[in-house]
Structures are given as C-alpha cells and as structure tokens.
Amino acid sequence: METIAITVDCGADDFEAVTTFWAAVLGYQRVLPGYLVDPAGMRPRLSFDVVPEPKVVKNRWHVDLYVENLEALEPRVREIVELGATALHHYDSITQGYTNAFTTLVDPGGNEFCVCAPHIPVGGSSPESI
C-alpha cells in the first residue's frame, strides 16, 4: 500500500499559521516543523513547504472535508472558522440526483478548501450516500 502525502506551498510569513491551523483542524500530529501525520495512520500526510513566490490565483485542486451528516456541516464550519479559516460561500443544491451542500473556506495562507455534507440521493430509491 502506498502512503499519500499532500504538499502545500506556503510563504515564510504564513508557514507557522498554516501548519498549526491544519494540525488543529484535522487532529494531526506535527512530527517535523512542516510535516503533519494522522495519529491513526489512516489519512494522507500533509507536508508544508516554504516557497518564495506568493499565491496569486485560485487553487487548481483542493481538500474536501466531509462531515457525517447535513446537521454537522454548520457547526464544523463554525469550529474551523474559530481556528482561523475564512468562510467564502455556502452552496446547497441538488446535483445529478444527489444533495450537494458545502461551504468553501480559505485557510490562513489563502488556500481554498470545502467542508461538505454527504451526498444523499433525492427521490426514487435510496442507494447509499456518497
């Protein structure tokens, strides 16, 4: 089995804030100054690297954090905002027959991510949520 690590570029000015933020949000352990691991060893590792150039455009991909159910979405967003994120917008619709509810936020370094509720089928039969 391969272990996945997600590497995040950051500036020297926001390195500490970004690594501290993600450790708190995910409950990860900081094993090196810029390296976070899941204590249970199940989720991807995170590596934060200081780079000289600033972030200037929207991320081409981002992390989605899923909560257990729709009722848990808003409390989790509030918790993450209290840890230092900024909420950008909330989206709630039906997409291809499934609920699609999420809030887009940015971390202290300006990196976009979403907190999402599970996708539940609308109408008809009730296959598993995704």
Side-chain angles (χ1 to χ4, degrees):
M1 180 173 107
E2 297 175 323
T3 299
I4 296 173
I6 299 169
T7 301
V8 179
D9 291 344
C10 12
D13 293 344
D14 58 22
F15 173 81
E16 186 61 35
V18 171
T19 54
T20 299
F21 170 81
W22 282 106
V25 166
L26 298 174
Y28 274 29
Q29 293 176 334
R30 197 174 194 172
V31 295
L32 295 170
Y35 203 75
L36 306 178
V37 297
D38 173 15
M42 301 297 293
R43 297 179 289 171
R45 298 171 183 191
L46 292 178
S47 174
F48 297 87
D49 292 337
V50 174
V51 297
E53 65 278 354
K55 180 181 181 300
V56 293
V57 297
K58 183 181 182 294
N59 298 3
R60 296 294 295 195
W61 66 277
H62 63 267
V63 173
D64 284 346
L65 305 175
Y66 278 84
V67 295
E68 292 182 25
N69 54 51
L70 182 60
E71 294 74 28
L73 182 62
E74 183 55 34
R76 183 65 169 140
V77 168
R78 278 196 311 270
E79 176 187 345
I80 291 172
V81 166
E82 289 174 7
L83 291 170
T86 301
L88 296 180
H89 59 81
H90 179 75
Y91 186 80
D92 192 350
S93 73
I94 305 216
T95 305
Q96 297 180 357
Y98 285 83
T99 59
N100 191 19
F102 63 90
T103 301
T104 302
L105 303 98
V106 293
D107 73 11
N111 301 298
E112 298 89 2
F113 67 99
C114 295
V115 178
C116 310
H119 303 288
I120 300 178
V122 175
S125 62
S126 57
E128 293 296 314
S129 64
I130 54 174

